[in-house]
Amino acid sequence: MSVHPAYKVLLLLISVVLVSLIIFNSIPYTVVLKPLAVYHVGKWSAVGKECGATHANTGINTVSYGNENISREIHDEQEATDRTEIPVQGRVTAKIAITERVTRGRLSNCSLADIRKRSGVVLLTTTNFAFLDMTLNMIESIKRAGLCVNTTVIAEDQKCHQYLKERVRDDPAVHVIMTSSGETKSQLIRRYTREFFRFFNKRQAYILALLEQGLDVLFTDSDTFWFRDPFPYFRGDFDMSMMDSKSPYPTRAENANFCAGFAYYKSTAVTIRFVKAWIQTMENNEKAGKIRADQGVMNSLLRSDDPVHVHVQPLDINLFPSGPKFYSLLAKQANYSAIVMHAASIRGHEAKIEKFKSSNMWLVNITTG
């Protein structure tokens, strides 16, 4: 039986196991841990091993693929986990609930208890080693904004994966996994090449895998800077919410050109149907030898209501500006305050960094590009 290409991507969404290292009177102790997540894809199966964020409403995820159909059984063991005690040899019994309050991530400064306050949504991004510095800068801006959210970073090459895996060790908010849909090179990818389009055009499969588990997804490119919490702006009745310079907020323009680099996807039947068609269209294009950018395909489908009308809620471009818009407003008003800025229209890795530095928005001491 053939497996649909859109579902060859394996998201190892793993529940984190928190260990509280408690030593009393030098008495040795052991902690008994139970694996919380097992994934099955075709004949391949593995128990998740990496440290990272638990998707707070999910205990065990089983993903099965066959004959182009997906079935997922999501067992919510959160209540059981909350009251589970970790056996510790000696005189101490540490409860997970206590551990959650004291374990904060190095990258996120968030605890698992913080993450559970915003259950049902995942912040998703992808990166390779060349853009790792931008990714870390984005994560640092989220941290300084005081925002705690379940975050999954898809590493698109081994060098990136190894570096990030060490940085997020024991961080309950940030989870790093290695792509299973084909590695990219760790260097900068030249724009408008086949490799460039493929890098962006496989992100929708990651999004779909999460949506089908009943999770909302906020997808963000790594060249964003977060000033404040954007989640209050994703309330209301809609399927997707994105930036668009043509749409006079809050009205969606007929010729809207939405940006796929910062987009909120609600796990609705309409959204899932649309993302599936989006993936299928890009696959058909590649088979025909004409690769189009994911954003262009998305906007074509949205304008033609293909395969379904999607209720898109535009974001206020003054609060969610592109790079040029942001710096234009900043030049006119020194105390201008955005929610999230997306530097997509600032071309080139070095140019983005220089712009960020010019406005004191470069927060990390690392350069990888």
Side-chain angles (χ1 to χ4, degrees):
M1 307 292 288
S2 62
V3 179
H4 196 289
Y7 304 130
K8 290 182 180 178
V9 179
L10 171 64
L11 281 176
L12 299 178
L13 302 173
I14 304 167
S15 293
V16 69
V17 180
L18 296 176
V19 179
S20 181
L21 300 179
I22 306 173
I23 301 177
F24 282 76
N25 299 327
S26 300
I27 298 175
Y29 67 93
T30 58
V31 179
V32 180
L33 302 175
K34 176 185 176 182
L36 294 182
V38 181
Y39 298 83
H40 301 280
V41 181
K43 297 180 180 179
W44 187 94
S45 66
V47 176
K49 302 174 184 176
E50 300 173 36
C51 298
T54 173
H55 295 294
N57 64 341
T58 304
I60 299 178
N61 298 330
T62 302
V63 184
S64 302
Y65 298 86
N67 196 26
E68 302 187 2
N69 293 317
I70 297 181
S71 63
R72 288 181 172 81
E73 298 178 9
I74 303 176
H75 306 282
D76 189 348
E77 294 191 350
Q78 195 59 63
E79 183 179 351
T81 300
D82 287 340
R83 59 174 188 265
T84 299
E85 295 184 349
I86 305 178
V88 180
Q89 182 179 339
R91 295 178 294 169
V92 181
T93 300
K95 291 186 177 180
I96 288 178
I98 296 175
T99 305
E100 290 170 4
R101 292 197 290 268
V102 298
T103 303
R104 291 192 171 273
R106 289 182 295 167
L107 277 184
S108 68
N109 194 37
C110 297
S111 69
L112 189 56
D114 294 328
I115 298 304
R116 285 182 176 153
K117 294 175 184 177
R118 200 188 301 273
S119 62
V121 61
V122 176
L123 174 63
L124 177 67
T125 192
T126 68
T127 188
N128 71 342
F129 188 78
F131 252 76
L132 182 57
D133 49 4
M134 295 295 304
T135 306
L136 292 172
N137 194 71
M138 176 192 71
I139 292 173
E140 179 64 22
S141 74
I142 294 171
K143 174 183 175 180
R144 296 194 186 193
L147 179 61
C148 291
V149 60
N150 248 337
T151 302
T152 293
V153 182
I154 309 293
E156 297 289 353
D157 65 87
Q158 286 287 353
K159 190 175 180 180
C160 176
H161 180 249
Q162 290 300 320
Y163 183 92
L164 275 177
K165 187 169 69 171
E166 179 59 32
R167 288 291 302 271
V168 304
R169 189 175 300 279
D170 300 324
D171 195 315
V174 185
H175 177 62
V176 177
I177 60 176
M178 179 66 195
T179 185
S180 62
S181 61
E183 254 187 270
T184 63
K185 62 183 181 182
S186 58
Q187 296 81 22
L188 289 172
I189 302 172
R190 191 160 58 89
R191 293 178 63 84
Y192 307 124
T193 61
R194 184 173 291 268
E195 187 176 16
F196 175 84
F197 288 124
R198 282 177 173 166
F199 180 89
F200 291 98
N201 288 7
K202 61 180 181 173
R203 303 182 300 185
Q204 293 69 36
Y206 305 147
I207 294 167
L208 179 61
L210 291 165
L211 291 173
E212 289 187 321
Q213 293 184 57
L215 294 164
D216 288 357
V217 179
L218 174 54
F219 180 86
T220 179
D221 281 345
S222 60
D223 59 342
T224 56
F225 192 96
W226 299 45
F227 299 93
R228 290 182 281 159
D229 184 354
F231 286 96
Y233 296 86
F234 300 127
R235 295 170 182 161
D237 182 20
F238 65 90
D239 299 304
M240 295 161 56
S241 184
M242 294 176 282
M243 303 170 173
D244 172 40
S245 59
K246 294 182 178 181
S247 292
Y249 175 81
T251 305
R252 172 183 170 181
E254 290 186 5
N255 63 338
N257 186 35
F258 291 107
C259 176
F262 186 83
Y264 193 95
Y265 301 82
K266 281 192 177 181
S267 182
T268 66
V270 168
T271 303
I272 291 171
R273 185 180 174 191
F274 176 80
V275 175
K276 284 182 177 180
W278 187 7
I279 293 169
Q280 187 62 61
T281 302
M282 291 189 295
E283 290 174 354
N284 292 342
N285 287 342
E286 183 161 8
K287 288 176 183 177
K290 52 177 184 179
I291 298 183
R292 288 184 62 197
D294 61 330
Q295 185 168 296
V297 174
M298 177 192 74
N299 279 295
S300 294
L301 294 174
L302 287 174
R303 292 188 195 111
S304 59
D305 289 337
D306 184 11
V308 64
H309 177 74
V310 179
H311 184 183
V312 182
Q313 176 174 286
L315 292 169
D316 186 343
I317 200 66
N318 291 310
L319 297 177
F320 296 87
S322 63
K325 175 80 170 179
F326 171 79
Y327 284 102
S328 173
L329 292 171
L330 190 64
K332 297 175 183 177
Q333 185 179 347
N335 62 347
Y336 166 66
S337 179
I339 306 296
V340 176
M341 184 272 285
H342 184 201
S345 298
I346 301 173
R347 306 299 185 192
H349 177 266
E350 291 303 317
K352 293 177 192 289
I353 292 179
E354 287 306 310
K355 267 295 188 184
F356 277 46
K357 286 181 176 178
S358 73
S359 52
N360 297 317
M361 290 161 51
W362 190 247
L363 310 176
V364 296
N365 295 316
I366 179 176
T367 302
T368 57

